[in-house]
Amino acid sequence: MRFSTLALALAGLLFAGPLAAQTGTPPPYGPPIALDAAKKVIAAAEAEAVRNNWQVAIAVIDSGGHLVMMVKLDNTQLVSIRVAEAKARSALGFRLPTKLLEDAVAAGGAGTRLLAVQDIAPFEGGFPIIEAGKIIGAIGVAGVLSAQDAQIAKAGLAAIENPSR
């Protein structure tokens, strides 16, 4: 079974209750993010990281789960490269922000089943990238506190949601 199929099946089992009500039906997958759009996302996220003097890795993957761009700022811890990519893949596979996975694990009970999924990153900082109601990719950021990683990722998302920025 492919990771995305397993992830969706597991998400359905784990989140049939309160989380499903909170997130609604996730958007479908769409065409892969274009390189120009990925560059805008990375540039805006990098600018947010630099503005705050945060050393992070930023990964953008396409709707098929393939790496499109990766940036590692100087002096970023090396493990952040793998974690940023894992956050992006988790957001893509589950079609939701990884903060919701983090919350499910933190709540205990059935949410801890997520820890059995191979290569999952259940911590804040990963988001699907949505355009015209379809997931075209995902962004993952790692290197500072998870909430700060999310702040950086959201700045990247805003670059294509609000192109005038």
Side-chain angles (χ1 to χ4, degrees), residues 43-54 148 151-153 155-156:
E46 182 179 358
E48 180 69 13
V50 169
R51 184 172 25 263
N52 288 287
N53 197 31
W54 292 333
Q148 295 166 331
Q151 179 181 330
I152 295 165

Side-chain angles (χ1 to χ4, degrees), residues 2-5 8 27-35 38 60-69 88-95 127-131 133-139:
R2 290 184 41 210
F3 172 75
S4 59
T5 306
L8 292 173
Y29 295 105
I33 188 170
L35 181 59
V60 171
I61 62 173
D62 67 19
S63 56
H66 305 285
L67 185 64
V68 176
M69 289 192 74
R89 288 190 202 297
S90 296
L92 179 71
F94 283 97
R95 298 187 296 173
F127 294 88
I129 300 172
I130 301 169
E131 181 178 78
K134 294 188 177 179
I135 298 173
I136 61 170
I139 183 172

Side-chain angles (χ1 to χ4, degrees), residues 11-143:
L13 291 172
L14 290 174
F15 305 130
L19 190 57
Q22 187 178 11
T23 61
T25 303
Y29 295 105
I33 188 170
L35 181 59
D36 285 344
K39 286 179 180 180
K40 289 176 185 173
V41 170
I42 289 280
E46 182 179 358
E48 180 69 13
V50 169
R51 184 172 25 263
N52 288 287
N53 197 31
W54 292 333
Q55 288 78 42
V56 295
I58 306 163
V60 171
I61 62 173
D62 67 19
S63 56
H66 305 285
L67 185 64
V68 176
M69 289 192 74
M70 163 68 73
V71 170
K72 180 190 77 65
L73 278 66
D74 292 340
N75 298 314
T76 300
Q77 57 191 5
L78 296 178
V79 73
S80 295
I81 297 167
R82 289 194 318 267
V83 174
E85 231 181 312
K87 286 182 181 184
R89 288 190 202 297
S90 296
L92 179 71
F94 283 97
R95 298 187 296 173
L96 48 78
T98 55
K99 171 71 167 130
L100 297 176
L101 302 175
E102 178 182 306
D103 291 346
V105 170
T112 60
R113 295 180 198 173
L114 284 168
L115 299 174
V117 178
Q118 186 176 0
D119 299 327
I120 191 173
F123 15 86
E124 191 172 11
F127 294 88
I129 300 172
I130 301 169
E131 181 178 78
K134 294 188 177 179
I135 298 173
I136 61 170
I139 183 172
V141 179

